[in-house]
Amino acid sequence: MHDRLLAQPGYVLRRAANAMSAELSRRLGVLGLRATDASVLILLEESPGITASAIGRAIDIQRANMVPLLRRLEDAGLIDKTPIDGKSQGLALTRSGRDTLAQAWTIIESFERELLERIPAEHRDHLLPALTALWQGEDD
Amino acid sequence: MHDRLLAQPGYVLRRAANAMSAELSRRLGVLGLRATDASVLILLEESPGITASAIGRAIDIQRANMVPLLRRLEDAGLIDKTPIDGKSQGLALTRSGRDTLAQAWTIIESFERELLERIPAEHRDHLLPALTALWQGEDD
DNA sequence: AGCGATTGTTGTTGTGCATAGCAATCACGA
DNA sequence: TCGTGATTGCTATGCACAACAACAATCGCT
């Protein structure tokens, strides 16, 4: 019906990413998490005590946009802030945050597994390297 | 730094798609077009006289969201509407619309070419089939 | 001590997409 | 022929995500 579009990797990339994001959001929704929330929690697990700005730098979220995100996580009792000095504050998972993240990991892992299973075996292992090259190869 | 995230195809898919979308939008911006506009114009070239609802159905844009999109295209003189019956209207490219689309194609094709060039040769041909399987294999 | 950079924050804007509701119209079976 | 259900175009509204500008407080370095 719209063959020209379906032949464009860029178009299909956008569509696939939208579909996957929507599905992941739906699944994480049962934990009260958004996809971005989960990314932040994951980062926080890897680097406890990291600062808000540093998280933003790591996963390319503007400093300003971290504020409402972190406030939600803090209000939900998943993270807490500890002053490092007069202006920086270290972030870390609370116990409840660790529990929620563990549940999130279960969801994410089965999601990723199903995602890969949908891809024919001969293409499967090429997806991650191809996408990584695409994204990281950005020249701006 | 955040290895867990970078190892998730779903995460990298989202990031790659965002980066690509931003770049394409930037390039199409010089024509005053958004990425979605271009998709609609392409569809309109393939199926002149198609109706707004049918376009929405073809590329999964809600009927409601077609309205401002089409109004912009019409205000820009790229498309025109012809009543089919009392409630439906056929859409078609104007001459100016065809010209703009031709320019858009030039941009899109070089964009897609550069996109593929960024991917190592051994992975390149697997991207489109993998993404298509991912997206079309949706079970909801 | 002073100055540039950094941090957290507020506020605003734009884009993409979803949903609900509505009036007009169409299509098809009774 | 009628009328009921589906379709069409449209308004309005909301949510998620992200960009930008501006700001006060603080830090780090010379």
Side-chain angles (χ1 to χ4, degrees):
Chain A
M1 167 105 79
H2 45 298
D3 307 329
R4 305 292 293 276
L5 282 176
L6 298 184
Q8 310 287 332
Y11 178 77
V12 179
L13 173 63
R14 205 155 14 111
R15 295 298 306 270
N18 281 347
M20 294 302 102
S21 297
E23 174 64 14
L24 181 59
S25 295
R26 201 183 60 71
R27 298 197 190 183
L28 286 176
V30 310
L31 296 181
L33 293 180
R34 306 176 185 178
T36 319
D37 296 345
S39 305
V40 169
L41 294 183
I42 291 172
L43 208 65
L44 238 34
E45 184 182 45
E46 277 190 326
S47 312
I50 196 177
T51 177
S53 298
I55 295 179
R57 250 173 276 126
I59 57 181
D60 292 295
I61 299 180
Q62 305 285 319
R63 221 163 56 244
N65 297 327
M66 293 290 306
V67 179
L69 196 165
L70 292 178
R71 188 178 41 221
R72 265 185 307 111
L73 292 181
E74 194 179 18
D75 289 349
L78 304 180
I79 65 172
D80 53 19
K81 308 179 176 179
T82 317
I84 295 180
D85 55 28
K87 75 175 174 184
S88 299
Q89 40 192 299
L91 303 172
L93 295 178
T94 61
R95 165 161 300 278
S96 158
R98 272 187 295 274
D99 289 349
T100 302
L101 178 54
Q103 296 179 261
W105 266 122
T106 306
I107 292 177
I108 291 172
E109 271 161 5
S110 66
F111 168 75
E112 299 279 352
R113 193 176 344 104
E114 291 171 30
L115 183 154
L116 289 177
E117 277 168 5
R118 268 207 281 274
I119 304 175
E122 69 268 29
H123 304 306
R124 195 171 297 151
D125 294 339
H126 296 279
L127 183 62
L128 187 54
L131 290 176
T132 303
L134 249 191
W135 165 36
Q136 306 284 19
E138 270 289 39
D139 16 273
D140 52 328
Chain B
M1 167 104 81
H2 45 296
D3 306 330
R4 306 292 294 276
L5 282 176
L6 299 184
Q8 310 288 333
Y11 178 77
V12 179
L13 172 63
R14 205 154 15 110
R15 296 296 309 268
N18 280 348
M20 294 302 100
S21 296
E23 173 65 13
L24 181 58
S25 294
R26 204 183 57 71
R27 297 197 191 184
L28 285 176
V30 309
L31 295 181
L33 293 180
R34 305 177 187 178
T36 319
D37 296 346
S39 306
V40 170
L41 293 183
I42 291 172
L43 209 65
L44 238 33
E45 184 183 45
E46 278 189 325
S47 312
I50 197 176
T51 173
S53 298
I55 294 178
R57 248 173 279 130
I59 57 182
D60 292 293
I61 300 179
Q62 305 287 320
R63 239 169 341 132
N65 296 327
M66 292 290 307
V67 179
L69 197 164
L70 292 177
R71 188 177 42 220
R72 267 185 307 110
L73 293 180
E74 194 178 17
D75 288 351
L78 304 180
I79 65 171
D80 53 20
K81 308 179 176 180
T82 318
I84 294 181
D85 54 27
K87 74 175 174 184
S88 300
Q89 41 191 292
L91 303 171
L93 295 177
T94 61
R95 165 161 298 279
S96 158
R98 272 187 295 274
D99 290 349
T100 302
L101 178 55
Q103 294 178 262
W105 266 122
T106 307
I107 293 176
I108 291 172
E109 271 160 7
S110 65
F111 168 75
E112 299 280 352
R113 194 178 340 108
E114 291 170 30
L115 183 154
L116 289 178
E117 278 167 5
R118 268 207 281 274
I119 304 175
E122 69 268 30
H123 303 307
R124 194 170 298 151
D125 294 340
H126 296 279
L127 183 64
L128 186 53
L131 292 175
T132 303
L134 249 191
W135 165 36
Q136 306 283 17
E138 272 288 40
D139 15 276
D140 52 330

